[in-house]
Amino acid sequence: MCLAGASAAQVVSGDGGALSVVPRQTVAAFDALFDGPRDGQRAVHTKGLLLEARFVATSEAAGLSRAIHLSGSEVSALVRLSNFAGLPDLADGAAAASPRGMSIKFLLPDGGSTDIVAHSYNGFPAATPEGFLGFLRALAAPEPHVLAEFLAAHPAARRFVDTPKPAPESYATETFHGVNAFVFTNDKGKARHVRYRIEPVAGSAHLSAEAAARRGPDYLTRELADRLRIARVAFRLMAQIAGPDDDVVDGSVAWPGDRRMVELGTLTLTGIADDQAAQGSLLFTPLNLVDGISPSRDPLLIARNRAYRISYDRRTGRAIDEGSRHVRPTN
């Protein structure tokens, strides 16, 4: 297993050719799938809820990474929980609402930020940007045989489609996975490939399709608001450490469950943000990194980073400097 991770700046500045085209085509494919684009809206994970949070790292976290937010001091954070589809009015219990998304923006003492982007499926439908684009185009194709033929030839996509994705009882009872690997480096220079897992302290709990439909179209928002009136909601941020033979560049392949897990800290949701419209001005991207965390060679990291920036530019009408590591949220 190669532990040589590129820096975020190298990954962003070094892409070109197909990687410059495929992310834009991917956003267009989401538009075709969900009848977009819609002014001021994300191309995918459109319906979301913004929350305020705080994060406190464990003492074990610093042994894995020298990243500032893993030092043990409390940091503030913004968390966006979302449904999958690019449909702003999609009912929370609909099949297209899964997998759910969780994006975290840690607000750092130096005025910068660093992000985690995760979803509730442990894996990805494809190993490459081109493969994912092909999957989206097959989903949007009007002829059923196109998708059937694509799934027959692409096991990861077939696995994604066939895996049950039940609606959660609550956003507070869903587990989220960061499917791309990152390289954590501690203050002694030791580097390890890891993947994030975000586990609900309340435990995982899901609903049948019938029960979810009875809860109403916005039940996840209402339930979480009710829950937060009683107590704060917490998640454990975990790092799964790759074994010597684990694939660190293919996000479609889940690592075995017996791999070592290290608890990085506790993310506590403290309340629903007053200004929900601020979601549109927030950019969450997997390559918004800090010293001590660097990207793996997974090609989907570059493609996801570019696609999120394209969607951000489109909904806000302003471009992002690709040489900038940090995007400070607008509150």
Side-chain angles (χ1 to χ4, degrees):
M1 179 179 67
C2 176
L3 288 177
S7 71
Q10 287 172 325
V11 169
V12 172
S13 64
D15 61 345
L19 281 174
S20 298
V21 176
V22 171
R24 192 167 297 279
Q25 293 175 332
T26 298
V27 175
F30 276 123
D31 290 340
L33 188 58
F34 298 121
D35 298 322
R38 293 176 175 83
D39 289 345
Q41 300 281 2
R42 285 171 165 81
V44 69
H45 286 280
T46 306
K47 183 180 180 181
L49 180 66
L50 186 64
L51 300 110
E52 297 172 346
R54 67 186 188 203
F55 176 76
V56 179
T58 63
S59 57
E60 291 80 12
L64 281 181
S65 171
R66 58 177 178 262
I68 186 171
H69 61 297
L70 300 181
S71 66
S73 299
E74 181 176 305
V75 297
S76 298
L78 294 173
V79 174
R80 186 174 189 266
L81 296 165
S82 62
N83 290 335
F84 166 70
L87 302 170
D89 299 319
L90 183 70
D92 291 345
S98 289
R100 316 290 159 158
M102 176 186 273
S103 297
I104 308 168
K105 186 174 290 292
F106 300 94
L107 307 179
L108 305 177
D110 65 0
S113 65
T114 187
D115 300 345
I116 294 174
V117 181
H119 67 198
S120 58
Y121 174 74
N122 188 12
F124 207 70
T128 66
E130 295 81 4
F132 184 55
L133 175 59
F135 175 58
L136 294 179
R137 287 174 168 171
L139 284 173
E143 305 87 357
H145 72 86
V146 175
L147 177 59
E149 290 169 2
F150 184 90
L151 296 179
H154 297 84
R158 166 62 70 186
R159 187 164 55 247
F160 176 84
V161 168
D162 290 347
T163 299
K165 304 175 190 65
E169 182 178 283
S170 165
Y171 273 134
T173 65
E174 185 64 279
T175 299
F176 298 89
H177 306 268
V179 298
N180 305 115
F182 291 86
V183 180
F184 273 27
T185 305
N186 63 18
D187 58 6
K188 296 180 180 178
K190 184 172 183 178
R192 302 175 182 87
H193 275 99
V194 308
R195 284 179 178 168
Y196 294 113
R197 183 178 298 175
I198 306 165
E199 300 177 347
V201 170
S204 294
H206 295 83
L207 301 171
S208 67
E210 295 77 13
R214 290 195 298 269
R215 295 289 180 98
D218 302 308
Y219 82 89
L220 287 174
T221 295
R222 294 200 312 271
E223 193 282 338
L224 191 58
D226 291 342
R227 189 180 290 247
L228 285 167
R229 290 190 192 100
I230 300 170
R232 292 175 177 176
V233 171
F235 293 84
R236 297 183 186 91
L237 178 60
M238 312 294 293
Q240 185 183 28
I241 301 175
D245 298 321
D246 290 334
D247 194 329
V248 299
V249 300
D250 184 350
S252 71
V253 178
W255 294 345
D258 62 358
R259 296 298 182 258
R260 182 187 170 204
M261 299 285 293
V262 174
E263 185 172 350
L264 298 176
T266 300
L267 178 72
T268 304
L269 307 182
T270 56
I272 296 174
D274 292 334
D275 184 6
Q276 289 297 307
Q279 294 182 60
S281 63
L282 287 171
L283 172 65
F284 298 91
T285 172
L287 292 184
N288 183 28
L289 303 174
V290 292
D291 180 52
I293 303 176
S294 56
S296 67
R297 299 287 178 179
D298 186 336
L300 278 165
L301 282 169
I302 304 172
R304 292 178 71 189
N305 192 70
R306 277 189 167 271
Y308 296 159
R309 287 172 180 269
I310 291 165
S311 178
Y312 176 90
D313 186 13
R314 188 171 74 179
R315 70 177 178 270
T316 63
R318 65 179 191 254
I320 293 295
D321 176 8
E322 293 204 355
S324 173
R325 280 193 324 177
H326 301 309
V327 178
R328 186 67 177 178
T330 303
N331 292 314

